Amino acid sequence: MVTPVLARDLAALGRVSEETSSESVLRGLTTTLAGGVPGCAGGSAELWRGERVVVSASHSELILLVDSETDLGEGPSAEARETGRPVIVQDVLRDSRWPGYTGMAVRCGVRTVLSMPITVERSVLVLGLYGVRPGVFAARNVPPLADMLAEQVTVALANVWDYDEVRTDAAQMQEALAGRAVIDQAKGIIMKSSGCSAEAAFDELRRISQHHQVKVADLARLLVEEHQRNQGGGPGSL
């Protein structure tokens, strides 16, 4: 089941850009599985973080099938997530483990299912591969496929999460710098109005912010905005 095309397409999922997100990686992953694994007609991905889950699939019917497992409380994906081991259904019509699931799978055109759990940091990703004919996934091919998927998917999601963390840190730093700039402006207004030092101006800002239970940066912003409206007037009632 591991082909050069599949390996190439999975590796491409690890490349991150401004538009990349966990959801886009999952969408790309399900499409790659459907097009790159012999016998696979569709793919699904469930990213579980605690009890929160993000679901993606190559076909809308498969999202319904995955959701049915949540409603039924049983199925191959649910078992894979619970046991931490791959689950194969060679023919849903000959498998009696989950009667409720069988009917839904047949309505979605699914005859074979392979569900594989992958632990990524503190999350669990359950991948589903679906065939329209019975017996398309040989058990002997599952370990090498699972190993490659675990390696590539872990890298792809880790890259996305690291990139998101960097973007968040950058945004917080930018916000902090903007807050520091407006505080310096507010200090200058107070210094000009009262003739005090920069340290005394900041102490006054902090005193007033504590009294009114607002952040120093928010208070400074209000003071600067009022000063601009008054075109150079003093801090008023502050």
Side-chain angles (χ1 to χ4, degrees), residues 46 48 53 55 62-75 77-78 81 98 100-101 104 107:
E46 306 165 61
W48 290 87
V53 61
V55 179
L62 296 180
I63 292 181
L64 296 176
L65 184 57
V66 170
D67 288 344
S68 74
E69 292 196 48
T70 303
D71 296 336
L72 293 168
E74 62 177 20
S77 293
R81 179 183 169 222
W98 316 288
Y101 177 84
M104 189 64 185
R107 284 194 292 274

Side-chain angles (χ1 to χ4, degrees), residues 144-162:
L145 177 62
D147 289 344
M148 185 175 70
L149 285 171
E151 180 180 353
Q152 298 292 350
V153 170
T154 297
V155 170
L157 288 175
N159 286 350
V160 171
W161 293 339
D162 288 345

Side-chain angles (χ1 to χ4, degrees), residues 14-143:
R15 292 196 287 268
V16 178
S17 68
E18 285 288 341
E19 293 75 28
T20 307
S21 65
S22 297
E23 291 78 7
S24 69
V25 170
L26 296 184
R27 287 194 302 271
L29 179 57
T30 59
T31 302
T32 298
L33 293 175
V37 177
C40 182
S44 68
E46 306 165 61
L47 182 61
W48 290 87
R49 291 180 170 179
E51 294 303 314
R52 298 180 59 187
V53 61
V54 176
V55 179
S56 185
S58 59
H59 300 77
S60 58
E61 295 89 346
L62 296 180
I63 292 181
L64 296 176
L65 184 57
V66 170
D67 288 344
S68 74
E69 292 196 48
T70 303
D71 296 336
L72 293 168
E74 62 177 20
S77 293
E79 182 166 318
R81 179 183 169 222
E82 182 178 345
T83 63
R85 296 190 299 270
V87 175
I88 302 180
V89 183
Q90 294 292 2
D91 189 348
V92 296
L93 293 180
R94 296 178 180 274
D95 196 302
S96 60
R97 285 176 287 182
W98 316 288
Y101 177 84
T102 297
M104 189 64 185
V106 171
R107 284 194 292 274
C108 293
V110 170
R111 288 292 297 273
T112 305
V113 182
L114 169 59
S115 294
M116 294 183 291
I118 299 172
T119 300
V120 185
E121 295 185 5
R122 293 182 295 276
S123 305
V124 176
L125 176 66
V126 182
L127 299 178
L129 285 73
Y130 305 89
V132 297
R133 294 180 291 105
V136 296
F137 304 132
R140 67 179 182 276
N141 294 329
V142 172

